[in-house]
């Protein structure tokens, strides 16, 4: 008992001494400023308000310009254009005592003016350099409109199709998600934040926001520390390792503590363990929402909890503005803690070059030149085509140019839905063609034709924030339309515009082909036509599992075996359903092409043992030969999965550990090799240390998680 008490006291002491981890000023002007600042001016730097342009939640105050003038607000969101930001910046620089420039932030999530596919869509391209390029272009356009800060990348892994925000992330896999969040960070920040075409990335939502119970947005999250670290945490970490210098706290609680007051997340993991040097911002009114969580007694208590837990900047709660000064005066928050928060924020303003030239992002000529350029639009068309996933094809696709087709369905003429949620400053007027318009440019369109391109889906507002659903079906009338066309004897190529994995069990039986086009962005109409007519041979692979029905959810490829895996078709006491197969409708990694690829068995050459051995810090090479066995050139994503057969804690049956996109001409074959090392088989062992364990492993290679060939190897320390 006594020992437990001593340990608890020690733990408390450790927790409070980590406090808001001190960072050094990276620019001598930051220290100079800190010396000159009054307590109120310091607090002002921790305050982020919205302009009155767009709000994503309840607006707490409208007088933001007055706040800026009074030094009560150091950053602004939802304000852009070179002209407008110049005027607001002028107020900050010329009408405040110290003239500290404002930091302008905005949700640039999948493009700024040129809109790319939603992030879930882009992740299905598995084209990491292209995803990086999308972020680079977004940064270029945003920076030209006076912005220096985007609330992206969204690193929330999710296995919850009910959750509307699954559309904003990169799917269900920690490895793929990590590569994407790092690539987006590089794309936004480039190699020098002070350039006029790079912006600060913000890793969100920290952490595990993608795991709300029952898929309802903002809902409770609870899981073991092991699962959290293994499955949910890697993409945030990858973005930090790639240099991201801001992080946004998430609305959810984790292990009973709202993320906005989590010393464990912000001080311990982020700042101490990972050595994060940037600043942490709250989500919109996230600090005072802790009162409703039942964690803070009032707004002052909420401010105290957040600041002491390592949250440096308050977005829209006004809790810091209203209470931090008194909290410091009363000693509930130390001035050192506040200074650390302010130093982190000022360091970033310095790194962005704002202390050198506060107006450097406010150039109207540059704004015109760099926005919606033909190159940006061409790239948007390319990445949109790459993001689409051909789920089914009985041979109806590709269509032939010149043949008669009907283009039907409630979404055939939409342009608005292409932009999805969080559409930045994207405008419907910039979308040149709907799917129907684009098809009309390639072939004669007639309603009576026997081949039908049927465009169905969810309106864009059914996904994104606060857009969870308890059904993942298409609207009933849409499925009925598909059925009635089939009953009339038509051949139907179904094109889907949506932002979550859907239950397509019925549609997959009726449709002749299904192309998952997501919300494909500004150039979506042309990109769909490119794929339908074979100008682009589809290459997308699902980054998220499509279940047969909602009852299977959560269903994902990174699953464990259980003690009674389903093996025997007639067995009762195995892990299975009475009314539905265990397998999903479309597995993670699935995606068809207009050609076919054949895989050889994987081989691990070079050892004399039956099962080749990976030793200590050494490596093994596994090789496979992939052949294009069809009639057209195509791009295939060769996927590598590993299984650790026996562990000190149970391991998933398949973990994605590598992939390579290759393009092959008809008849061409290519050897693809992967290097296996101990990092690839490392995990949080029973004692929570990270590392490999000796034993036997399987390696699987193929074109989808449910279509692989395997080989074996062993590991000895
Ligand atoms: C969202 C964030 C977003 C913020 C600012 C919040 O409601 O959760 O993802 O960055 O608003 O718009």
């Amino acid at each position: 008992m006594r020992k437990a008490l001593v340990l608890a006291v020690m733990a408390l002491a450790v927790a409070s001494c980590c406090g808001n981890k001190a960072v050094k000023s990276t620019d001598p002007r930051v220290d100079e400023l800190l010396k000159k600042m009054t307590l109120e001016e310091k607090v002002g730097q921790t305050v982020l308000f919205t302009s009155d342009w767009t709000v994503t939640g309840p607006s707490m105050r409208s007088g933001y310009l007055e706040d800026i003038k009074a030094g009560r607000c150091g950053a602004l969101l939802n304000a852009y254009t070179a002209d407008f930001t110049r005027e607001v910046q002028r107020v900050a620089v010329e009408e405040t005592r110290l003239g500290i420039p404002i930091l302008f932030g905005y949700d640039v999530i999948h493009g700024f003016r040129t809109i790319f596919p939603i992030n879930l869509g882009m992740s299905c391209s598995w084209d990491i350099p292209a995803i990086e390029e999308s972020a680079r272009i977004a940064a270029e356009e945003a920076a030209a409109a006076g912005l220096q800060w985007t609330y992206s990348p969204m690193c929330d892994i999710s296995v919850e199709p009910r959750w509307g925000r699954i559309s904003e992330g990169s799917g269900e896999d920690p490895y793929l998600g990590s590569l994407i969040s790092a690539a987006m960070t590089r794309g936004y920040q480039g190699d020098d934040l002070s350039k006029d075409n790079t912006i600060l990335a913000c890793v969100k939502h920290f952490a595990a926001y993608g795991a709300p119970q029952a898929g309802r947005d903002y809902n409770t999250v609870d899981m073991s520390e092991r699962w959290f670290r293994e499955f949910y945490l890697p993409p945030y970490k990858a973005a930090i390792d790639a240099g991201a210098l801001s992080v946004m706290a998430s609305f959810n609680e984790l292990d009973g503590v709202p993320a906005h007051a989590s010393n464990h997340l912000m001080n311990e993991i982020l700042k101490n363990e990972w050595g994060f040097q940037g600043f942490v911002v709250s989500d919109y009114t996230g600090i005072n929402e802790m009162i409703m969580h039942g964690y803070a007694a009032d707004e002052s208590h909420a401010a105290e909890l957040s600041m002491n837990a390592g949250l440096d900047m308050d977005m829209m709660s006004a809790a810091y503005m209203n209470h931090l000064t008194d909290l410091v005066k009363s000693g509930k928050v130390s001035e050192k803690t506040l200074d650390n928060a302010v130093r982190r924020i000022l360091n970033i303003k310095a790194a962005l070059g704002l202390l050198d030239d506060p107006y450097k992002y406010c150039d109207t000529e540059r704004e015109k030149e760099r926005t919606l350029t033909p190159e940006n639009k061409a790239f948007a068309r390319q990445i949109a085509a790459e993001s689409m996933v051909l789920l089914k094809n009985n041979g109806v696709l590709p269509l032939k140019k010149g043949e008669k087709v009907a283009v039907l369905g409630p979404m055939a003429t939409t342009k608005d839905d292409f932009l999805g949620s969080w559409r930045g400053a994207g405008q419907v007027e910039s979308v040149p063609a709907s799917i129907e318009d684009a098809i009309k440019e390639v072939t004669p369109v007639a309603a009576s034709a026997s081949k039908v391109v049927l465009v169905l889906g969810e309106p864009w507002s059914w996904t994104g924030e606060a857009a969870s659903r308890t059904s993942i079906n298409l609207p009933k009338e849409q499925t009925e339309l598909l059925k009635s066309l089939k009953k009339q004897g038509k051949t139907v190529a179904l094109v889907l515009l949506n932002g979550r994995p859907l239950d397509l069990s019925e549609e997959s039986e009726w449709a002749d082909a299904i192309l998952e086009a997501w919300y494909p962005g500004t150039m979506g109409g042309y990109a769909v036509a490119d794929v339908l007519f074979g100008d682009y041979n589809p290459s997308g692979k699902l980054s998220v599992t499509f279940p047969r029905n909602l009852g299977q959810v959560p269903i994902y490829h990174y699953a464990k075996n259980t003690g009674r895996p389903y093996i025997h078709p007639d067995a009762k006491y195995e892990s299975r359903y009475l009314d539905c197969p265990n397998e999903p409708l479309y597995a993670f990694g699935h995606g068809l092409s207009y050609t076919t690829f054949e895989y050889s068995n994987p081989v691990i050459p070079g050892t004399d043992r039956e099962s080749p051995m990976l030793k200590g810090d050494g490596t093994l090479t596994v090789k496979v030969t992939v052949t294009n066995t069809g009639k057209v050139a195509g791009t295939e994503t060769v996927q590598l999965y590993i299984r650790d057969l026996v562990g000190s804690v149970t391991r998933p049956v398949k973990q994605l550990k590598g992939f390579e996109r290759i393009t092959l001409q008809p008849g061409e074959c290519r050897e693809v090799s992967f290097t296996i090392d101990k990092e690839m088989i490392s995990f949080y062992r029973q004692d929570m240390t990270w590392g490999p364990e000796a034993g036997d492993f399987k390696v699987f290679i193929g074109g989808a998680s449910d279509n692989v060939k395997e080989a074996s190897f062993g590991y000895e320390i």
Side-chain angles (χ1 to χ4, degrees), residues 411 413-419 423 428 431-434 437 521:
M411 303 188 80
T413 54
T414 187
K415 291 181 177 177
D416 187 28
D417 294 293
F418 285 177
L419 305 182
R423 47 184 62 192
V428 182
V431 176
S434 67
D437 298 335

Side-chain angles (χ1 to χ4, degrees), residues 406-409 411-414 418 433-443 445 453 455 525-526 528-529:
V407 184
L408 303 175
M411 303 188 80
T413 54
T414 187
F418 285 177
S434 67
I435 294 176
E436 185 188 64
D437 298 335
I439 292 179
K440 276 185 178 159
E441 288 185 29
V442 214
T443 213
V445 168
V453 173
V455 192
Y526 288 125
V528 167

Side-chain angles (χ1 to χ4, degrees), residues 252-383:
N252 56 285
E253 66 168 68
L254 185 61
D255 195 16
V257 179
H260 282 71
S262 176
N263 188 66
H264 181 52
L265 289 177
M266 295 182 284
N267 278 336
E268 289 179 5
I269 295 183
L270 183 64
K271 293 182 177 174
N272 291 326
E273 209 178 299
W274 296 353
F276 173 65
Q277 296 294 302
F279 68 86
V280 186
V281 63
S282 80
D283 203 345
Y284 205 104
T285 62
I287 297 179
N288 51 28
E289 286 172 23
M290 290 196 296
I291 301 168
M292 293 309 282
H293 270 285
Y295 194 74
D298 52 32
E299 199 181 84
S300 163
H301 188 208
E304 176 191 339
L305 288 168
S306 288
M307 183 45 83
N308 283 335
L311 195 135
D312 306 299
M313 187 186 274
D314 170 359
M315 183 199 291
M316 291 304 292
S317 282
Y320 281 5
M321 182 177 81
N322 294 339
H323 304 287
L324 260 187
T325 305
D326 286 346
L327 286 166
V328 172
K329 283 184 182 156
S330 68
K332 288 183 175 163
V333 168
S334 75
E335 187 151 3
K336 208 168 138 204
T337 297
L338 175 62
D339 282 356
N340 276 323
V342 177
R343 186 176 285 111
R344 285 174 179 272
I345 294 163
L346 291 179
N347 276 346
I348 301 297
K349 290 190 177 181
L352 285 160
L354 287 170
L355 302 187
D356 303 299
D357 176 5
Y359 302 109
K360 65 183 295 190
Y361 296 87
C362 314
D363 177 332
T364 46
E365 276 314 303
R366 197 161 65 209
E367 187 174 18
K368 270 184 230 141
E369 267 165 33
R370 291 187 180 172
T371 302
L372 276 166
T373 62
E375 295 76 27
N376 293 0
K377 288 195 262 185
F379 176 78
R381 182 169 175 167
Q382 170 72 16
I383 196 164

Side-chain angles (χ1 to χ4, degrees), residues 191-212:
D191 53 9
D192 179 357
L193 263 188
S194 75
K195 286 189 179 157
D196 66 17
N197 61 355
T198 55
I199 57 178
L200 171 67
C202 183
V203 174
K204 74 185 189 186
H205 304 82
F206 198 64
Y209 181 43

